[in-house]
Amino acid sequence: MAGQTLKIVNSDPTTHNIHPTPADNREWNESQPPQSPALEKTFAREEIMLPVKCNQHPWMKMYVNVVKTPFYAVTGPDGKFEIKGLPPGDYTLAFVQEKMGTQEQKVTLAAKDSKTVDATFKTP
């Protein structure tokens, strides 16, 4: 979540360089030698698919999703997800895939309601 501490641990026997390149947050670039203490960072603003690269190893990259709410999920290997504890209301679910973009679906939840929502990405 925005403002939450992100702990970055290097458990490899080599130095890494953590370099987020955000659009809406502060960019930073920090080396992390083997067995060094965890880096603790925060991102102040919501940002989806914030790219993070390792300048030491160009093939290494990841994405961080920073949201304003505790209601989010990352799919498991089977593509399934679950968001628990949503209060009744109207919501827009955003499904994001790094190469295939974003899809949105609206859903309305009543009290004690449970819904199944499916999203399918078509390969380009």
Side-chain angles (χ1 to χ4, degrees), residues 44-107:
R45 288 175 285 290
E46 186 173 52
E47 188 164 346
I48 304 301
M49 298 300 283
L50 186 159
V52 181
K53 61 184 177 178
C54 175
N55 292 341
Q56 296 289 107
H57 308 100
W59 64 90
M60 296 180 84
K61 70 176 181 177
M62 70 174 193
Y63 295 91
V64 174
N65 292 315
V66 183
V67 294
K68 297 179 203 174
T69 171
F71 302 114
Y72 61 89
V74 175
T75 59
D78 60 359
K80 293 182 180 180
F81 69 97
E82 186 175 25
I83 301 173
K84 292 183 177 184
L86 277 172
D90 296 322
Y91 296 95
T92 301
L93 298 178
F95 299 90
V96 182
Q97 205 284 336
E98 78 179 89
K99 293 182 178 153
M100 293 185 239
T102 302
Q103 289 184 30
E104 291 186 349
Q105 289 189 37
K106 296 199 179 289
V107 65

Side-chain angles (χ1 to χ4, degrees), residues 5-65:
T5 300
L6 173 67
K7 280 185 147 180
I8 303 158
V9 176
N10 178 4
S11 56
D12 292 339
T14 186
T15 296
H16 290 287
N17 178 261
I18 298 85
H19 185 186
T21 54
D24 297 323
N25 283 282
R26 185 181 61 81
E27 182 174 355
W28 50 273
N29 186 351
E30 196 166 330
S31 287
Q32 189 177 37
Q35 300 172 3
S36 62
L39 297 177
E40 294 191 8
K41 302 290 182 177
T42 60
F43 294 103
R45 288 175 285 290
E46 186 173 52
E47 188 164 346
I48 304 301
M49 298 300 283
L50 186 159
V52 181
K53 61 184 177 178
C54 175
N55 292 341
Q56 296 289 107
H57 308 100
W59 64 90
M60 296 180 84
K61 70 176 181 177
M62 70 174 193
Y63 295 91
V64 174
N65 292 315

